[in-house]
Amino acid sequence: MSTAEAHDDGGRTAAVVPSRPRHAGEAYRTAPDATESTMASQTAQAQQTIKVPSPAGGRKRRGVNREGLEAGKRSTRTILWILLAASLILYGFPFLYLLLTSFKTPIDTIAVPPTVLPREWTLLNYVNALGRSGVLASFINSTQTAVISTALSLILAVPAAYGITRYKTRSGRVFIMAALVTRMVPPVAIGIPLASMMASVGLSDTPIALSIAHTTISLPLSIWLMSSFFEAVPQDLEEAATVDGCSRLGALWRVVIPVVSGGIAVTAIFAFLASWNEFLFALLMTAVRSQTTPVVIANFQTQFGLDWGSMTALAAVYSIPVIILTLLLQRKIVAGMTLGAVKG
Amino acid sequence: MSSRNRISKLATIGGLCTAVALVATGCGAGGPTSTDGAGSSSINVLVEAGGHAELQPIADQCKKDTGVNVNFVELPYDGLFNRLSSEFSSGTVSFDVAALDSVWLPSFKDALQPIDELFTDEAKKDIFPALVKEANVDGHFIGMPAWTNAEIVLYRKDLFEDAKNKADFKAKYGYELAAPKTWQQYQDISAFFTKDGMFGTDVKGGVETEYLTHVLQAGSPMVLDSNNNVVIDNAAHKQALDFYTSLVKDAPAGAAQVDWAAAQNLFNQGKTAMTQFWAHAYRQIPKDSPVYGKVGTAPMIGGSAGVAGVPGPWYLSVPKATKNADAAKKFVRCAFDHNDLAIQSDLGLAARISAFQKYQDQPGYESFKPLIETLNAPGTATRPATAKWQQIVDTVLVPMLQKAVAGGDSASLLADAKTKIQALIK
């Protein structure tokens, strides 16, 4: 908050005095008519500031939450809440609708106009979906594939990103850009050649083949993510570790990786999700042994119709492991997301 | 140090999990290997998800009869074509038999083995004529029909038998209310039932088959003639398109977006009094639908050239690249022999005339007589045998229909379609 701007209740922008002492017990605010933004005017306005009791003083400052963070004026907060609610509806409603559809009877699922809540609740869709042959095997295949793909992505992305960020070479910059370019190629363009290659080395219809294919999707993103996390770690830390006797790799393993563990968790989640939900490669490369659940879910849409109930039921069940994983790693993810946010 | 220990533990656990996963990867969880090698009695059958139910009882019987064990590889419709294209182009296939949509046969003809020996005279007599013709590509039979379908007319029997409706209809149109047999009757009945929030029929702007059916009924080959000349701008195509769009006023709004699923939903919800739809839909009406038990069936209607329909068969084909050709052909022959078993599945379709006839008088199979009549009609014909067909449908026919049902001029739309199709097949 050293140079930030805050909003007063009068709806005007108020420059916070830059030289405000920390932990002074009082917060300073400019008068409503202080709208100048230059340092000179700020200094002049500092004389017109009014004293506002701080939370520490026993009285809560307006626009400041319990944690002492400024949340702006009420109208801004209202707008933020509305935006938050809208985002929640935008992202959450499709899943909620999917979940509710999974409890509908066949005729309810195709109602015209559609209904949100089931008129009659049923678990029959879950019985049908989970009783379908190959569903359990597909879950195992999906898990195998996602775990292997995630591990491969991390094993390759962590050292690659570390090298790129620590040895800032021209080839490293070219490499990281090239990694991004691979994301620009339509997956179908590499899916068919990949399927042929895997078949030629005897890996057709195996989770390992699909994992390798999935790694081609997640690896570029993982390298980019890890690079940004490594950038946030001060080099002083590694230098201190080397002074204490660590080798370069030792410093990476003992100092840097624990610091970026949140970032690794975020990268792992992205890599896992990229594999868990991937459809096209699974469609092209799997058959009897290694078919994954997204393909099985798609099989509910046939030339003869679409079994909405069973499809949504299986999709709902399939999303549970990811939800659990995300909740388990929630703290790490938040830590990873904010890693580097205070840098500079 | 505690975080270091934690990291170490996590790394160990992760390593162990990965090792276990990698070991398990050796065989996957789905079953045996894709190809067990030459001479194996186990075969993989690639099938569209809906067709699996049709073939499972047959596979069970064939295992008893021939010892051939079948592993099904199910894929969604769109994905199946991509998968087939991918594997055929690579020259290595993960399956020994594939169930192919009829429109794909010309595209994959070079990758499929001839199975002429299975098409005996006796077999040909038991297959609908249009299907025998379609299975023969460049002088060889490359697919054995597994099941077939065709559009028939489904109508609300309860509404058609209602005394007041019957009297009112006769008073207005001068003839009895009954299942329609001609275009005029279909138009009249559609208009009659379009009232009080209900519609006489649907108009499907999102799919092409129904329009092509009317083209056949008007007496023209579909889109291409026997010499591959584009005939989409002839009088029959215009007549069919004008009839098609004439029904828009008696159909729910948004016809341009209505496809099979939407039309089926509308009918099953009781919003439309009639629909022209694939015959399998009759047995798929949900038990909790307001129209369950109230639906009648009739053959496809007739135009100036009489009754005609477009069959929707699927064929069992054997790829040239399979190492299990003998077992694969054994299964294809067995599947034909026990074709009637497919009728007991939820979808209830077969390919042999005798299979349909065996069930046609049984309750629950009222759609079979109209289906047989439609498939045997002289005007019934399969879609043009060109590898470009799907492209023609997706990029020309469907967009043209969507513009037509939205009020476009039929003559200019057909002329424009002709130019585009000529460019595609050039």
Side-chain angles (χ1 to χ4, degrees):
Chain A
M1 290 304 296
S2 61
T3 58
E5 285 187 339
H7 294 97
D8 69 2
D9 287 344
R12 299 188 185 182
T13 304
V16 177
V17 179
S19 57
R20 185 185 65 191
R22 280 187 181 181
H23 311 298
E26 287 181 345
Y28 293 84
R29 199 170 60 153
T30 57
D33 60 349
T35 55
E36 297 295 323
S37 58
T38 63
M39 287 299 289
S41 64
Q42 282 176 6
T43 308
Q45 287 156 13
Q47 296 169 355
Q48 302 172 15
T49 52
I50 55 171
K51 292 180 180 177
V52 179
S54 73
R59 289 169 65 184
K60 193 176 176 185
R61 204 177 88 193
R62 293 175 73 183
V64 175
N65 62 19
R66 279 183 301 181
E67 287 73 35
L69 299 171
E70 292 197 41
K73 60 186 178 181
R74 182 171 295 171
S75 59
T76 308
R77 286 203 304 274
T78 308
I79 291 168
L80 286 174
W81 275 110
I82 289 169
L83 285 174
L84 182 67
S87 306
L88 199 65
I89 290 169
L90 192 68
Y91 285 98
F93 183 74
F95 183 75
L96 183 67
Y97 189 74
L98 175 143
L99 204 60
L100 291 169
T101 303
S102 70
F103 294 107
K104 290 178 182 174
T105 58
I107 198 68
D108 252 7
T109 61
I110 56 168
V112 181
T115 58
V116 175
L117 288 173
R119 277 180 285 219
E120 188 186 334
W121 293 76
T122 177
L123 288 173
L124 200 60
N125 296 320
Y126 285 88
V127 174
N128 288 341
L130 297 176
R132 188 183 171 107
S133 67
V135 166
L136 181 63
S138 76
F139 261 89
I140 296 170
N141 288 330
S142 285
T143 309
Q144 275 183 352
T145 306
V147 167
I148 296 169
S149 170
T150 306
L152 276 176
S153 289
L154 291 179
I155 288 166
L156 296 172
V158 169
Y162 180 76
I164 290 164
T165 50
R166 285 297 181 260
Y167 304 99
K168 295 182 185 301
T169 60
R170 184 181 168 80
S171 56
R173 284 195 294 276
V174 171
F175 175 79
I176 200 163
M177 286 309 296
L180 198 64
V181 167
T182 61
R183 292 281 295 168
M184 297 170 190
V185 179
V188 72
I190 55 171
I192 292 173
L194 258 178
S196 301
M197 285 163 61
M198 294 300 170
S200 65
V201 295
L203 282 177
S204 65
D205 194 20
T206 61
I208 189 71
L210 190 57
S211 304
I212 293 169
H214 286 174
T215 306
T216 65
I217 301 171
S218 57
L219 189 58
L221 187 67
S222 300
I223 292 173
W224 269 84
L225 276 173
M226 286 311 305
S227 294
S228 68
F229 294 131
F230 282 129
E231 287 279 9
V233 179
Q235 266 187 302
D236 298 350
L237 278 177
E238 285 168 77
E239 284 164 12
T242 49
V243 167
D244 286 343
C246 272
S247 64
R248 187 101 198 186
L249 279 177
L252 169 67
W253 179 249
R254 290 184 175 84
V255 177
V256 180
I257 285 184
V259 171
V260 296
S261 61
I264 293 175
V266 172
T267 309
I269 282 276
F270 276 110
F272 189 88
L273 285 178
S275 174
W276 186 254
N277 293 324
E278 200 279 334
F279 175 73
L280 184 64
F281 287 169
L283 180 74
L284 294 171
M285 299 174 70
T286 65
V288 180
R289 285 190 294 171
S290 59
Q291 198 168 66
T292 53
T293 309
V295 180
V296 176
I297 291 173
N299 280 339
F300 285 107
Q301 180 172 17
T302 73
Q303 52 174 316
F304 301 109
L306 175 53
D307 185 355
W308 281 109
S310 302
M311 178 187 262
T312 52
L314 188 55
V317 172
Y318 190 61
S319 61
I320 290 172
V322 178
I323 293 170
I324 292 172
L325 186 69
T326 309
L327 290 176
L328 283 176
L329 294 176
Q330 192 180 26
R331 288 179 63 187
K332 289 276 185 192
I333 292 168
V334 173
M337 290 292 191
T338 54
L339 194 65
V342 293
K343 197 183 78 163
Chain B
M1 277 299 126
S2 63
S3 68
R4 182 185 152 192
N5 290 338
R6 198 161 54 241
I7 294 281
S8 297
K9 280 179 190 169
L10 280 174
T12 310
I13 294 167
L16 282 171
C17 289
T18 308
V20 170
L22 282 166
V23 169
T25 296
C27 57
T33 55
S34 296
T35 305
D36 287 346
S40 170
S41 61
S42 185
I43 61 168
N44 291 336
V45 176
L46 193 61
V47 63
E48 195 267 348
H52 181 193
E54 292 279 301
L55 291 175
Q56 187 61 61
I58 292 171
D60 294 342
Q61 185 61 44
C62 289
K63 189 177 180 183
K64 289 178 196 162
D65 290 359
T66 64
V68 175
N69 184 46
V70 176
N71 305 308
F72 286 101
V73 181
E74 281 182 81
L75 293 177
Y77 182 87
D78 294 333
L80 183 57
F81 182 82
N82 293 336
R83 178 65 172 268
L84 288 162
S85 303
S86 157
E87 296 207 10
F88 283 145
S89 62
S90 75
T92 310
V93 293
S94 63
F95 54 89
D96 308 296
V97 174
L100 303 180
D101 190 346
S102 56
V103 296
W104 299 341
L105 286 181
S107 301
F108 299 137
K109 62 182 180 183
D110 295 332
L112 302 174
Q113 291 194 24
I115 47 172
D116 297 329
E117 68 274 20
L118 303 183
F119 277 80
T120 60
D121 289 341
E122 191 187 353
K124 281 190 270 191
K125 272 184 208 163
D126 203 16
I127 302 172
F128 294 103
L131 274 59
V132 175
K133 190 177 167 194
E134 188 173 48
N136 192 322
V137 180
D138 295 345
H140 290 289
F141 290 101
I142 55 171
M144 177 60 84
W147 64 88
T148 189
N149 213 343
E151 276 188 86
I152 59 172
V153 175
L154 302 179
Y155 63 95
R156 286 281 299 279
K157 212 164 44 177
D158 57 327
L159 298 179
F160 277 60
E161 289 171 357
D162 179 80
K164 185 173 183 309
N165 283 339
K166 285 170 92 76
D168 289 351
F169 185 87
K170 186 163 188 184
K172 190 170 181 183
Y173 296 102
Y175 61 94
E176 296 290 340
L177 176 61
K181 291 181 177 171
T182 65
W183 287 5
Q184 185 59 53
Q185 288 174 4
Y186 200 87
Q187 282 173 320
D188 290 347
I189 297 168
S190 295
F192 178 75
F193 281 114
T194 303
K195 57 189 175 188
D196 305 329
M198 190 158 178
F199 299 93
T201 187
D202 56 66
V203 174
K204 307 170 188 79
V207 286
E208 82 296 349
T209 318
E210 193 164 314
Y211 164 64
L212 297 175
T213 300
H214 297 315
V215 170
L216 293 176
Q217 292 163 4
S220 166
M222 285 178 274
V223 183
L224 305 174
D225 67 12
S226 53
N227 297 317
N228 261 7
N229 296 313
V230 183
V231 294
I232 196 169
D233 60 341
N234 68 15
H237 279 80
K238 186 175 184 311
Q239 196 186 358
L241 189 56
D242 288 341
F243 167 69
Y244 203 62
T245 53
S246 74
L247 298 170
V248 169
K249 65 183 189 309
D250 302 318
Q257 303 307 321
V258 172
D259 58 7
W260 297 117
Q264 191 176 16
N265 286 357
L266 286 165
F267 186 75
N268 286 345
Q269 294 285 345
K271 304 285 183 190
T272 50
M274 291 186 296
T275 185
Q276 296 168 61
F277 209 89
W278 300 103
H280 75 271
Y282 177 73
R283 285 174 53 76
Q284 285 203 319
I285 297 169
K287 286 191 170 60
D288 55 344
S289 161
V291 305
Y292 182 76
K294 300 173 184 171
V295 175
T297 59
M300 199 57 182
I301 56 173
S304 55
V307 172
V310 178
W314 281 67
Y315 296 88
L316 293 179
S317 297
V318 181
K320 283 178 181 168
T322 178
K323 293 171 186 167
N324 278 331
D326 288 343
K329 285 183 181 176
K330 215 183 270 184
F331 173 71
V332 173
R333 183 191 298 272
C334 179
F336 185 73
D337 291 343
H338 295 291
N339 187 250
D340 60 316
L341 291 175
I343 289 178
Q344 291 162 13
S345 70
D346 288 345
L347 298 168
L349 290 173
R352 294 178 68 164
I353 298 169
S354 61
F356 283 120
Q357 286 172 336
K358 186 175 166 185
Y359 286 86
Q360 64 180 350
D361 294 323
Q362 293 187 24
Y365 295 94
E366 288 82 359
S367 55
F368 279 9
K369 272 186 182 167
L371 178 62
I372 294 170
E373 196 175 326
T374 303
L375 286 169
N376 272 329
T380 293
T382 55
R383 284 159 279 199
T386 167
K388 298 279 187 182
W389 181 249
Q390 197 60 51
Q391 210 175 341
I392 291 171
V393 168
D394 294 339
T395 62
V396 181
L397 293 182
V398 170
M400 179 196 79
L401 283 177
Q402 288 178 320
K403 286 175 191 163
V405 298
D409 176 62
S410 57
S412 60
L413 285 171
L414 290 168
D416 185 40
K418 181 177 185 176
T419 310
K420 288 177 180 168
I421 294 169
Q422 281 173 331
L424 277 175
I425 62 170
K426 193 162 55 177

